[in-house]
Amino acid sequence: MASVDKIIEKMHRQPNGIRYEEGKKVLEHNGYKVTTQKGSHRSFRDAAGDLVTIKEETPLHKHYVAKILARVKS
């Protein structure tokens, strides 16, 4: 599997081709953990309490990718 930096670069270049597993890896690398699940939606929370919810689907819609990129520390 690609490194987190390569996934982030791919997210910027091609936001419509990101798999759920790649988005999850980026969030977890940045301190987010899955807190709740409701149907196909997963909520991730970091230590500061920031919450992001994404739908477990492949490929992710670009608005979910944008939510992830807004929270990335790179």
Side-chain angles (χ1 to χ4, degrees), residues 5-61:
D5 292 332
K6 287 186 179 183
I7 296 170
I8 293 169
E9 184 179 311
K10 180 181 173 186
M11 288 174 143
H12 285 289
R13 271 194 341 264
Q14 186 182 11
N16 290 325
I18 304 301
R19 293 179 294 127
Y20 167 78
E21 293 82 14
E22 292 173 321
K24 179 180 176 184
K25 184 174 183 177
V26 170
L27 285 171
E28 288 177 342
H29 180 77
N30 284 280
Y32 286 81
K33 295 182 182 180
V34 176
T35 56
T36 59
Q37 170 185 343
K38 187 164 185 165
S40 61
H41 288 78
R42 308 290 183 268
S43 294
F44 294 83
R45 189 177 302 271
D46 69 354
D50 184 40
L51 179 70
V52 60
T53 302
I54 61 174
K55 186 174 182 181
E56 185 177 349
E57 63 182 349
T58 297
L60 289 175
H61 286 274

